[in-house]
Amino acid sequence: MMQQSKWLTFLKWIPIFLIFGFIVLPVFMVVWISFFSTSLITFPPKGYSFKWFVELLHHQEFMSSFLLSLKVSFFAMIISLVLGLLGSIALIRYDFKGRKILELLFLSPLIVPTIITGIGIYIFLFNAERLIGIDMVPNLWALVTAHVIICIPWTVRLISAGLLSINPSLEEAAIDLGSTRTQAFVKIVLPNLRPSIIAAAILSFIHSFNNLEISLMLVRPGELTLPIEILNYVFWKVDPLIAAVSTVQIILIGILMWIANKFISIGKVF
């Protein structure tokens, strides 16, 4: 009976391992190909080398697009955090008419396909440009604004979850002891919200950094984000250099998530 129970337990784990392998295999293949020594991708490989990572440092287009993606993602993260925090406070701490509608409005970018959102933002800005006579597209801040729109759902959801887990009586006790409402919020609520805020910052940054569809609509000529530059490169050539770029992305995002989880336990936020 013991042997039969062990076999049943093993059989239960087989579908899990298959699903996990199906998810991880593409990532493994990308990392593996990035170390191929030849520009022609063949299996089995003829050798291994780090030359593609060295070449990546000297590839001006990839480096410029990487820096632009960092800039856009950083500004989008900061702005969406501020708006997400204010929106979460309004949704969780106050009861007013239209609160549910406002909540759905904040979360709507998760429902609408990103490509539709990008087209809609472009059409709106283009028509606004014709009305007011100011260049709005393509524009760096138009791109940042569009990224803020798709990042806000993540910040609102995570910060709202953090606010719901904080007992309002702690803030009320601080006010009863002489603190103003602002002081109580800064000294009591914000420290307890830190895990949610950091998790929201990480996920919004990653979501913005990897976005392709919205960026396609709003980038200026000659200034491309990293996902667009990767797409352009693949149109003309497929070699291990593109795998090296993807490997760097995987490593950076993995390290970022690991560090965040190490210090704030992101898993407890969800």
Side-chain angles (χ1 to χ4, degrees), residues 62-228:
F62 277 130
M63 296 306 296
S64 299
S65 61
F66 177 75
L67 293 176
L68 179 62
S69 289
L70 282 181
K71 184 193 298 184
V72 172
S73 300
F74 175 78
F75 284 120
M77 176 191 71
I78 297 298
I79 297 172
S80 64
L81 275 179
V82 173
L83 295 178
L85 178 61
L86 296 175
S88 298
I89 294 171
L91 292 174
I92 302 302
R93 294 297 176 87
Y94 298 96
D95 190 11
F96 54 91
K97 289 183 179 180
R99 187 168 66 89
K100 287 294 182 182
I101 297 175
L102 182 62
E103 183 178 1
L104 291 174
L105 184 64
F106 278 133
L107 300 180
S108 60
L110 293 177
I111 302 171
V112 181
T114 314
I115 186 67
I116 302 300
T117 303
I119 295 172
I121 292 172
Y122 177 81
I123 293 173
F124 172 79
L125 293 176
F126 181 76
N127 289 329
E129 178 181 304
R130 294 176 62 186
L131 288 174
I132 63 179
I134 299 176
D135 292 337
M136 301 186 70
V137 285
N139 183 283
L140 176 62
W141 290 107
L143 179 61
V144 171
T145 302
H147 278 238
V148 168
I149 291 173
I150 62 172
C151 289
I152 280 181
W154 299 99
T155 58
V156 169
R157 290 182 67 179
L158 289 171
I159 296 175
S160 295
L163 279 172
L164 286 172
S165 66
I166 299 173
N167 193 338
S169 61
L170 295 175
E171 192 176 356
E172 294 170 4
I175 294 172
D176 291 340
L177 292 172
S179 296
T180 64
R181 185 167 293 277
T182 302
Q183 290 174 332
F185 181 80
V186 171
K187 294 182 178 180
I188 303 297
V189 177
L190 276 184
N192 286 286
L193 269 181
R194 185 175 61 178
S196 298
I197 291 174
I198 295 177
I202 290 170
L203 290 180
S204 60
F205 180 87
I206 293 173
H207 192 59
S208 172
F209 189 82
N210 289 329
N211 180 268
L212 171 65
E213 297 88 349
I214 283 182
S215 301
L216 274 172
M217 305 292 170
L218 301 172
V219 291
R220 290 185 291 187
E223 292 186 1
L224 306 180
T225 59
L226 186 58
I228 299 176

